[in-house]
Amino acid sequence: MLRGEITTAIRRAVMQELAAVGYGRLSIEAVARRAGVSKTAVYRRWRSKLELVLEIVSAAAGQRFPLPDTGDLRGDLEMLFLIMARALGHPLAAQIIPDLLAEAARNPQIAQTLQGALRSNQRDIGGQLIGRAIARGELGPDTDVDVAVDLIVGPLYWRLAVARAPLAVEDLPRLAAAVAAALEVACLPSVPDEPDVRLSAVVPMADSGGS
């Protein structure tokens, strides 16, 4: 193999091993065997299993993708959800993501790397989708991009990566409409010195008389 082909083979083998056995049972020996290379070829590129997995998973989690402009917020959300659903529903991703989320709870380095890659990727999505919505006047100019992105990707990550429940294509328009409505509410300007009627509806004010 050429050097570039060796690196590609190792990267592919790492993802396959992660899906097959998880991070805890993954070994350099197994990766090398699956890639058809020597252990030395792996160690020449990465010093440890942790370094190997962090670099490859970080690159995969941080992949950028173009988001087509559909002309309105709901359409953009529906397109994003379709792209993300296909990515998260891939057999390798469906096996790797839950395992790495569990491992991140035990390993601060994995947690920090995953969070950094995912947050960077999410901000890139926010820059595209939220920026368009603001330019169209669908969302206010003071929209908090971080909060908006959490509202956008949270439901999909929860359903596909955590709950691991199926999501049919015909469910995407309803999900997009719900998230668009949540974004519009979240971006409403707050009214100072007045109780939040939405909060008081579910958390009644304490009776000052003690009754």
Side-chain angles (χ1 to χ4, degrees), residues 2 10 12 14 21 23 26 30 35 40-41 52 57 80 82 88 101 103 119 126 148 160 167 180 185 192 196 200:
L2 299 177
I10 294 171
R12 183 168 54 246
V14 168
V21 303
Y23 177 81
L26 182 144
T40 303
L52 169 66
V57 169
L80 173 63
L82 178 61
L88 293 174
L101 289 175
E103 195 64 39
R119 178 55 65 183
L160 295 177
L167 181 64
V185 171
D196 191 324
S200 62

Short mmCIF file of all heavy atoms in Angstrom, two decimals, residues 2 10 12 14 21 23 26 30 35 40-41 52 57 80 82 88 101 103 119 126 148 160 167 180 185 192 196 200:
data_model
loop_
_atom_site.label_atom_id
_atom_site.label_comp_id
_atom_site.label_asym_id
_atom_site.label_seq_id
_atom_site.Cartn_x
_atom_site.Cartn_y
_atom_site.Cartn_z
N LEU A 2 0.35 2.31 -0.61
CA LEU A 2 0.99 3.60 -0.49
C LEU A 2 0.69 4.17 0.89
O LEU A 2 -0.25 3.76 1.56
CB LEU A 2 0.48 4.54 -1.58
CG LEU A 2 0.75 4.10 -3.03
CD1 LEU A 2 0.11 5.08 -4.00
CD2 LEU A 2 2.23 3.96 -3.30
N ILE A 10 -6.33 2.38 7.95
CA ILE A 10 -6.33 2.38 9.42
C ILE A 10 -7.54 3.14 9.95
O ILE A 10 -8.23 2.69 10.87
CB ILE A 10 -5.03 3.00 9.97
CG1 ILE A 10 -3.84 2.11 9.62
CG2 ILE A 10 -5.13 3.19 11.48
CD1 ILE A 10 -2.49 2.74 9.93
N ARG A 12 -10.42 3.64 8.52
CA ARG A 12 -11.62 2.84 8.27
C ARG A 12 -11.70 1.68 9.26
O ARG A 12 -12.77 1.37 9.79
CB ARG A 12 -11.60 2.33 6.83
CG ARG A 12 -12.84 1.54 6.43
CD ARG A 12 -12.91 1.32 4.94
NE ARG A 12 -11.70 0.69 4.42
CZ ARG A 12 -10.84 1.28 3.59
NH1 ARG A 12 -11.06 2.53 3.17
NH2 ARG A 12 -9.76 0.64 3.16
N VAL A 14 -10.47 1.54 12.28
CA VAL A 14 -10.81 2.05 13.62
C VAL A 14 -12.32 2.19 13.77
O VAL A 14 -12.91 1.76 14.77
CB VAL A 14 -10.12 3.40 13.88
CG1 VAL A 14 -10.69 4.07 15.13
CG2 VAL A 14 -8.62 3.20 14.06
N VAL A 21 -16.75 -3.69 18.58
CA VAL A 21 -16.40 -4.08 19.96
C VAL A 21 -16.44 -2.93 20.96
O VAL A 21 -16.35 -3.16 22.16
CB VAL A 21 -15.00 -4.74 20.00
CG1 VAL A 21 -14.94 -5.94 19.07
CG2 VAL A 21 -13.89 -3.75 19.65
N TYR A 23 -15.05 1.08 22.40
CA TYR A 23 -13.74 1.64 22.74
C TYR A 23 -13.00 0.78 23.75
O TYR A 23 -11.79 0.55 23.62
CB TYR A 23 -13.90 3.06 23.30
CG TYR A 23 -12.60 3.67 23.74
CD1 TYR A 23 -11.74 4.26 22.81
CD2 TYR A 23 -12.20 3.63 25.08
CE1 TYR A 23 -10.52 4.80 23.21
CE2 TYR A 23 -10.99 4.17 25.48
CZ TYR A 23 -10.15 4.75 24.54
OH TYR A 23 -8.95 5.28 24.94
N LEU A 26 -11.40 -2.23 22.08
CA LEU A 26 -10.61 -1.96 20.88
C LEU A 26 -9.12 -2.06 21.20
O LEU A 26 -8.68 -1.61 22.26
CB LEU A 26 -10.95 -0.58 20.33
CG LEU A 26 -10.24 -0.15 19.04
CD1 LEU A 26 -11.20 0.68 18.16
CD2 LEU A 26 -8.99 0.69 19.34
N ALA A 30 -5.92 -5.36 16.85
CA ALA A 30 -7.11 -5.66 16.07
C ALA A 30 -7.30 -4.67 14.93
O ALA A 30 -7.70 -5.03 13.82
CB ALA A 30 -8.34 -5.66 16.97
N ALA A 35 -7.03 -3.61 9.20
CA ALA A 35 -6.54 -2.73 8.14
C ALA A 35 -5.57 -3.43 7.19
O ALA A 35 -5.25 -2.90 6.12
CB ALA A 35 -5.87 -1.50 8.75
N THR A 40 3.31 -1.59 13.74
CA THR A 40 4.27 -0.49 13.61
C THR A 40 3.70 0.62 12.74
O THR A 40 3.92 1.82 13.00
CB THR A 40 5.59 -1.01 13.00
OG1 THR A 40 6.11 -2.06 13.80
CG2 THR A 40 6.61 0.11 12.90
N ALA A 41 2.96 0.25 11.70
CA ALA A 41 2.36 1.26 10.82
C ALA A 41 1.37 2.12 11.57
O ALA A 41 1.24 3.32 11.30
CB ALA A 41 1.68 0.57 9.64
N LEU A 52 -5.28 7.73 18.78
CA LEU A 52 -5.82 7.23 17.52
C LEU A 52 -7.32 7.48 17.42
O LEU A 52 -7.83 8.06 16.46
CB LEU A 52 -5.52 5.74 17.40
CG LEU A 52 -6.20 4.93 16.29
CD1 LEU A 52 -5.71 5.39 14.93
CD2 LEU A 52 -5.92 3.44 16.48
N VAL A 57 -12.21 10.05 15.49
CA VAL A 57 -13.60 10.36 15.84
C VAL A 57 -13.85 11.87 15.79
O VAL A 57 -14.91 12.32 15.34
CB VAL A 57 -13.93 9.80 17.24
CG1 VAL A 57 -15.26 10.33 17.74
CG2 VAL A 57 -13.94 8.28 17.21
N LEU A 80 -32.08 19.86 7.08
CA LEU A 80 -31.04 19.53 8.05
C LEU A 80 -31.36 18.23 8.77
O LEU A 80 -30.49 17.37 8.95
CB LEU A 80 -30.90 20.67 9.07
CG LEU A 80 -29.96 20.40 10.25
CD1 LEU A 80 -28.53 20.19 9.78
CD2 LEU A 80 -30.03 21.53 11.27
N LEU A 82 -33.16 15.79 7.74
CA LEU A 82 -33.01 14.66 6.81
C LEU A 82 -31.54 14.25 6.70
O LEU A 82 -31.21 13.05 6.77
CB LEU A 82 -33.55 15.04 5.43
CG LEU A 82 -33.42 13.98 4.34
CD1 LEU A 82 -34.19 12.72 4.71
CD2 LEU A 82 -33.91 14.53 3.00
N LEU A 88 -26.80 9.94 11.37
CA LEU A 88 -26.88 9.28 12.66
C LEU A 88 -27.46 7.87 12.56
O LEU A 88 -27.21 7.03 13.42
CB LEU A 88 -27.72 10.12 13.63
CG LEU A 88 -27.13 11.46 14.05
CD1 LEU A 88 -28.13 12.26 14.87
CD2 LEU A 88 -25.84 11.27 14.83
N LEU A 101 -20.45 7.99 23.88
CA LEU A 101 -21.11 8.83 24.89
C LEU A 101 -20.94 8.22 26.28
O LEU A 101 -20.68 8.93 27.25
CB LEU A 101 -22.59 8.99 24.55
CG LEU A 101 -22.92 9.86 23.34
CD1 LEU A 101 -24.42 9.83 23.07
CD2 LEU A 101 -22.44 11.30 23.54
N GLU A 103 -18.48 6.16 27.13
CA GLU A 103 -17.06 6.25 27.46
C GLU A 103 -16.68 7.66 27.88
O GLU A 103 -15.81 7.85 28.74
CB GLU A 103 -16.23 5.82 26.24
CG GLU A 103 -14.79 5.52 26.54
CD GLU A 103 -14.60 4.33 27.46
OE1 GLU A 103 -15.35 3.34 27.33
OE2 GLU A 103 -13.71 4.40 28.34
N ARG A 119 -19.47 20.85 19.12
CA ARG A 119 -19.85 22.26 19.26
C ARG A 119 -19.40 23.07 18.07
O ARG A 119 -20.14 23.93 17.57
CB ARG A 119 -19.26 22.83 20.56
CG ARG A 119 -19.56 24.31 20.79
CD ARG A 119 -21.04 24.62 20.75
NE ARG A 119 -21.77 23.97 21.83
CZ ARG A 119 -23.09 24.05 21.97
NH1 ARG A 119 -23.82 24.71 21.08
NH2 ARG A 119 -23.70 23.44 22.96
N GLY A 126 -25.32 26.45 12.79
CA GLY A 126 -26.03 27.65 13.23
C GLY A 126 -25.70 28.85 12.38
O GLY A 126 -26.58 29.65 12.05
N ALA A 148 -30.13 28.48 20.07
CA ALA A 148 -30.87 28.06 18.89
C ALA A 148 -30.39 26.70 18.38
O ALA A 148 -31.21 25.83 18.06
CB ALA A 148 -30.75 29.11 17.78
N LEU A 160 -32.31 9.78 18.07
CA LEU A 160 -31.54 8.83 17.27
C LEU A 160 -30.31 8.28 17.99
O LEU A 160 -29.99 7.10 17.85
CB LEU A 160 -31.12 9.47 15.96
CG LEU A 160 -32.27 9.84 15.00
CD1 LEU A 160 -31.73 10.53 13.77
CD2 LEU A 160 -33.06 8.61 14.61
N LEU A 167 -36.87 7.19 13.23
CA LEU A 167 -37.49 8.44 12.80
C LEU A 167 -37.80 8.32 11.31
O LEU A 167 -36.90 8.24 10.48
CB LEU A 167 -36.53 9.62 13.04
CG LEU A 167 -37.06 11.00 12.65
CD1 LEU A 167 -38.26 11.37 13.50
CD2 LEU A 167 -35.97 12.06 12.80
N ALA A 180 -39.18 25.01 14.68
CA ALA A 180 -39.30 26.38 14.18
C ALA A 180 -40.15 27.22 15.15
O ALA A 180 -39.81 28.37 15.46
CB ALA A 180 -39.90 26.41 12.78
N VAL A 185 -40.45 31.35 19.60
CA VAL A 185 -40.78 31.71 20.97
C VAL A 185 -39.53 32.06 21.75
O VAL A 185 -39.49 33.05 22.49
CB VAL A 185 -41.54 30.56 21.67
CG1 VAL A 185 -41.71 30.84 23.16
CG2 VAL A 185 -42.90 30.35 21.01
N PRO A 192 -39.46 43.20 30.71
CA PRO A 192 -38.91 43.39 32.06
C PRO A 192 -39.99 43.66 33.10
O PRO A 192 -41.04 44.22 32.79
CB PRO A 192 -37.99 44.61 31.89
CG PRO A 192 -38.55 45.34 30.71
CD PRO A 192 -39.11 44.29 29.80
N ASP A 196 -43.45 35.95 34.04
CA ASP A 196 -43.58 35.17 32.82
C ASP A 196 -44.85 34.33 32.90
O ASP A 196 -44.96 33.40 33.69
CB ASP A 196 -42.36 34.24 32.66
CG ASP A 196 -42.31 33.58 31.28
OD1 ASP A 196 -43.38 33.27 30.75
OD2 ASP A 196 -41.19 33.38 30.78
N SER A 200 -45.74 30.91 34.96
CA SER A 200 -46.72 30.89 36.03
C SER A 200 -47.87 29.93 35.76
O SER A 200 -48.55 29.48 36.67
CB SER A 200 -47.28 32.31 36.26
OG SER A 200 -47.95 32.77 35.09
#
